[in-house]
Amino acid sequence: MGEIYDQFIKDLARWREKYQDNPQAEFRYLLFLALEREAIVAVAYRDDMLARRIAAMPLPPAIQELIRHALIWAWKDEEMHAIYIRGVIFKRGNFALRIRAFMRQLFGITGGWSGSVLQHLTWKSSPLSVSWATFFTWMGIVTGQVPPDVRKYLQHGSFRDFCNFNIDAEKTARLSYDRLLEVLAALLDTPPQMIEDFRRIREDEERHTRIFEVMAAAIDERDQLVPGETAETLRDKIGAIGDVFLPHSQRHNLTENPTGSGGRVYVIQAQTSSADDKTATFRRLLDDSGLKDQIQWRAKTLEKPITALRIAIKPNFMMGYHRKDGSPITDPELVKALASYFFEQGCRAIAVVEAANVYDRFFQHRSVHEVADYFGFSSPEYQLVDLTDEQIPYQYYRGMAQYSVGKTWRDADFRVSFGKLASHPTDMVHLAISNLTGLGARCDEYIFSERQAHRDTAIMMLLNDFPVHFALLDGYLAPDGLLGLMGAPHPKTPKRFYAGVDPLAVDIVAARHIGISSPYRADILRTACYWFGDPSAQIDVVGIDEPVAGWRDPYHTEWSTFLSLLAYPIYEFGSGRGALFVAEMDEQAFPSIRREHFLLRAARKGVQILLGLHHW
């Protein structure tokens, strides 16, 4: 074992003795220690830094891809751990503990950035970054934040040195979680799920240790492959630790999940503004895109007659707030046409599913059935299901802090995401993948400061374990601008529809049409590419492949760019858990739950005007 590991053994023994009569205090101390450590590695393992280092190494491209993807998964794991641990502190602690948690996370982020710069960059290549990293590191040394046994590793060295340093770091993390679990077992009020979550984190750290050990053994001090190591042998070693550490296309246990497969994306545009032309164009898209063949293939795969297939269609209508603005919702007539199409193919168990969002915290009559009735989502050919009311326990393969899924979505044989072409202030786009929000736990569980997982992670967990078999986008009427997903005073009318088997491919094409040239520019699409692979090179667009004229993304002006950068932190910490950021609700249909103070109403109106949500 290395010096860092040996010193940590001594530190653990000292803390154990110090807190022997106060396990609650030791639990808090270990949580803060873990938070800072996870924040460090969540930054130190980030892809934008390591991808540059790996690309510069004299290794075959296949080896570079294997190493990079394995480290991406370690990075995403550590990000999840940091969010989860901070959420535990926030949910169990008072204001003072929350401030301490923020400070420890900030120290960790600063330390992780400084360490990664010093380990991977040289003064010649990045003098400014190296200067700042050196300054922050010396500040850490002076204040005692950087232990003596760590200092010698904070310099540019071989990739093997980096791996060996992190082998020690990951082993100390495993020791820390071993002790944390011992302390949790002694606390009487510990929820069983929390114990299970920390066990999963501990297991992740063990896998990360093995990943770095494999890489340290495969790469020599000159950053070259050791004799006898090949792409095949390295792939087998990484795959033995966990399939997810391999690129999606090289995994051994591939499920029937089309996400990331690419293939054809069909794009069609109506020629007139008539309702008949809209529906006829949409029906033509369903025929041209091969939905009928997909239904038949799915029935054959499951060895079921088509009449026995259970269909689940997820539209987007819970962001709707007034009949005067239909831009943020999937067109109910198109949902009806889609259900009719399934019915014509012989399907009889057809469900349209949705889930409550944050609006029901402030306004009455915001259940799925009430909102659906208001906007006209009704047909004898489908059943409407509120997934909020039918959550059942479920243990996901990857990810954290989501423990349930809607039963109808889980049990469906054929799942359709029928999203909306819309802009989003932080994700840039709100399309077929974003449309899956709320199929598990409520969306507001993953937005505010006490969250224990990020919204993107919660969506990927659902998409991984409960694949979408067909994706559609309603771009006939499309809200753009800073907060398009909430509505738009003057929405665009592209009159377009998108369809494909791979929801990520559909989203990538639609995003490109509204000015997002790379999926890595949009947070939700970048996360999906990390989880499922980037299918961009395997996409074939059939039909219209040109930009939407006049589209305004959240960065279309300097002012909107500034507001977009502030959007997430303000919504997370300063929105009153969403109370300030609501659209101009039809209060005849959706009156306030309680009498609202004049200041709240005035603040809401001001925010609506400021953000371009003021309609009339």
Side-chain angles (χ1 to χ4, degrees):
M1 298 297 178
E3 294 177 40
I4 297 174
Y5 183 88
D6 293 339
Q7 180 59 46
F8 194 75
I9 291 284
K10 298 175 183 176
D11 291 339
L12 273 179
R14 188 174 72 255
W15 299 330
R16 186 193 300 259
E17 181 178 356
K18 178 179 179 180
Y19 296 110
Q20 60 181 334
D21 297 324
N22 192 347
Q24 189 68 250
E26 184 177 5
F27 174 58
R28 286 197 300 268
Y29 185 88
L30 290 170
L31 276 182
F32 284 121
L33 182 71
L35 176 61
E36 184 171 353
R37 185 265 166 197
E38 298 294 350
I40 289 172
V41 292
V43 175
Y45 295 174
R46 71 193 192 280
D47 183 51
D48 59 345
M49 177 66 72
L50 289 178
R52 292 167 58 187
R53 175 69 185 266
I54 294 166
M57 293 164 62
L59 297 170
I63 297 292
Q64 290 180 347
E65 182 185 16
L66 286 167
I67 293 174
R68 182 189 174 197
H69 191 87
L71 292 179
I72 283 174
W73 266 108
W75 166 46
K76 302 311 287 184
D77 280 345
E78 305 292 8
E79 277 190 337
M80 288 189 287
H81 299 169
I83 292 174
Y84 178 83
I85 293 168
R86 195 187 76 176
V88 170
I89 296 172
F90 272 41
K91 286 185 175 182
R92 296 170 67 94
N94 55 28
F95 180 75
L97 288 176
R98 291 185 175 200
I99 295 298
R100 285 181 59 192
F102 270 123
M103 295 306 297
R104 294 298 288 263
Q105 191 171 19
L106 179 61
F107 291 152
I109 290 170
T110 304
W113 178 82
S114 301
S116 63
V117 166
L118 295 176
Q119 288 177 321
H120 300 299
L121 300 180
T122 63
W123 171 268
K124 183 178 181 181
S125 64
S126 302
L128 188 60
S129 293
V130 171
S131 295
W132 276 111
T134 302
F135 171 76
F136 287 132
T137 300
W138 275 104
M139 288 291 291
I141 292 172
V142 171
T143 58
Q145 296 294 316
V146 180
D149 48 315
V150 173
R151 296 175 195 173
K152 68 178 183 180
Y153 292 99
L154 300 181
Q155 58 185 337
H156 191 272
S158 68
F159 188 76
R160 173 181 275 186
D161 288 340
F162 168 73
C163 291
N164 284 328
F165 169 72
N166 283 290
I167 290 170
D168 251 18
E170 294 290 349
K171 286 181 176 179
T172 62
R174 168 64 188 265
L175 284 176
S176 177
Y177 289 117
D178 282 342
R179 178 56 187 160
L180 193 148
L181 284 165
E182 290 176 3
V183 175
L184 276 177
L187 298 176
L188 299 179
D189 62 341
T190 304
Q193 186 60 60
M194 183 186 293
I195 294 175
E196 181 59 32
D197 288 339
F198 277 109
R199 282 186 183 138
R200 293 187 71 173
I201 293 177
R202 181 185 63 184
E203 291 167 2
D204 284 343
E205 305 297 355
E206 174 63 27
R207 283 188 285 267
H208 298 168
T209 301
R210 294 171 61 194
I211 287 292
F212 281 111
E213 287 174 340
V214 165
M215 292 180 182
I219 309 297
D220 65 20
E221 290 296 334
R222 297 173 298 167
D223 289 348
Q224 296 179 341
L225 213 59
V226 299
E229 194 74 80
T230 65
E232 290 73 22
T233 59
L234 186 59
R235 182 191 61 212
D236 291 343
K237 292 173 184 176
I238 294 174
I241 299 168
D243 249 16
V244 293
F245 292 101
L246 292 170
H248 191 264
S249 60
Q250 299 186 42
R251 295 177 186 173
H252 303 95
N253 301 317
L254 284 174
T255 60
E256 295 178 355
N257 193 335
T259 309
S261 62
R264 292 180 175 178
V265 174
Y266 296 80
V267 189
I268 196 169
Q269 182 172 325
Q271 299 303 308
T272 71
S273 298
S274 73
D276 289 343
D277 185 36
K278 174 180 66 177
T279 305
T281 302
F282 180 68
R283 293 274 309 198
R284 188 162 67 251
L285 172 76
L286 299 182
D287 285 329
D288 294 349
S289 60
L291 178 56
K292 178 179 179 180
D293 294 337
Q294 290 300 315
I295 297 169
Q296 293 174 344
W297 170 82
R298 187 66 179 156
K300 183 179 179 181
T301 300
L302 297 176
E303 298 181 345
K304 282 187 172 184
I306 288 178
T307 54
L309 286 182
R310 293 165 294 187
I311 312 300
I313 301 168
K314 169 61 172 70
N316 177 10
F317 61 78
M318 291 305 290
M319 289 304 297
Y321 61 95
H322 203 296
R323 291 193 187 98
K324 291 183 178 181
D325 183 10
S327 67
I329 69 171
T330 309
D331 191 318
E333 292 302 314
L334 299 180
V335 174
K336 183 177 180 179
L338 177 60
S340 294
Y341 192 90
F342 277 105
F343 197 85
E344 291 164 10
Q345 309 312 313
C347 303
R348 292 297 178 263
I350 305 169
V352 170
V353 304
E354 252 285 26
N357 62 11
V358 70
Y359 283 162
D360 72 351
R361 305 295 194 195
F362 316 117
F363 301 100
Q364 300 177 47
H365 310 312
R366 290 296 304 186
S367 71
V368 166
H369 286 85
E370 289 170 310
V371 176
D373 182 64
Y374 175 83
F375 285 109
F377 284 87
S378 177
S379 170
E381 294 173 336
Y382 67 73
Q383 173 193 10
L384 186 67
V385 176
D386 184 350
L387 295 181
T388 315
D389 297 332
E390 60 156 42
Q391 293 291 303
I392 55 176
Y394 179 77
Q395 182 68 54
Y396 288 86
Y397 178 63
R398 294 284 301 171
M400 299 190 68
Q402 179 157 240
Y403 312 112
S404 67
V405 64
K407 184 177 184 300
T408 299
W409 189 256
R410 182 200 67 174
D411 295 342
D413 300 312
F414 196 98
R415 305 183 189 94
V416 180
S417 177
F418 194 176
K420 188 74 181 180
L421 181 66
S423 63
H424 189 282
T426 55
D427 285 345
M428 299 288 287
V429 291
H430 190 80
L431 305 171
I433 291 178
S434 295
N435 184 48
L436 304 180
T437 300
L439 296 174
R442 286 181 59 106
C443 62
D444 40 348
E445 291 288 323
Y446 305 106
I447 297 175
F448 302 110
S449 59
E450 75 282 3
R451 70 186 187 276
Q452 291 180 263
H454 197 280
R455 168 180 163 271
D456 291 359
T457 298
I459 292 173
M460 298 309 143
M461 293 166 68
L462 285 157
L463 188 56
N464 187 70
D465 286 29
F466 304 103
V468 167
H469 302 103
F470 205 77
L472 291 160
L473 284 176
D474 171 12
Y476 191 86
L477 184 66
D480 61 351
L482 179 63
L483 291 173
L485 81 158
M486 293 178 67
H490 307 288
K492 296 292 180 291
T493 53
K495 301 188 182 70
R496 291 189 189 182
F497 306 112
Y498 295 75
V501 172
D502 177 2
L504 179 52
V506 170
D507 281 5
I508 287 174
V509 172
R512 181 160 50 81
H513 287 174
I514 56 178
I516 301 171
S517 57
S518 167
Y520 293 92
R521 287 188 56 214
D523 287 351
I524 187 73
L525 301 185
R526 179 172 62 248
T527 301
C529 287
Y530 286 143
W531 275 66
F532 302 102
D534 182 356
S536 297
Q538 289 78 45
I539 296 175
D540 177 23
V541 179
V542 180
I544 296 171
D545 192 12
E546 58 189 40
V548 173
W551 186 269
R552 301 170 307 150
D553 67 27
Y555 297 156
H556 69 281
T557 67
E558 290 184 358
W559 176 241
S560 68
T561 299
F562 174 72
L563 292 176
S564 182
L565 293 173
L566 294 178
Y568 197 91
I570 289 179
Y571 193 79
E572 179 181 356
F573 298 108
S575 70
R577 296 186 62 82
L580 284 178
F581 291 83
V582 299
E584 288 186 331
M585 198 69 57
D586 180 353
E587 295 196 21
Q588 294 298 314
F590 310 115
S592 297
I593 290 176
R594 59 189 63 86
R595 185 177 180 182
E596 296 171 344
H597 192 277
F598 167 77
L599 291 178
L600 175 60
R601 296 184 68 86
R604 279 181 178 172
K605 184 62 66 176
V607 168
Q608 290 164 358
I609 294 172
L610 176 68
L611 300 181
L613 290 172
H614 187 59
H615 291 254
W616 43 78

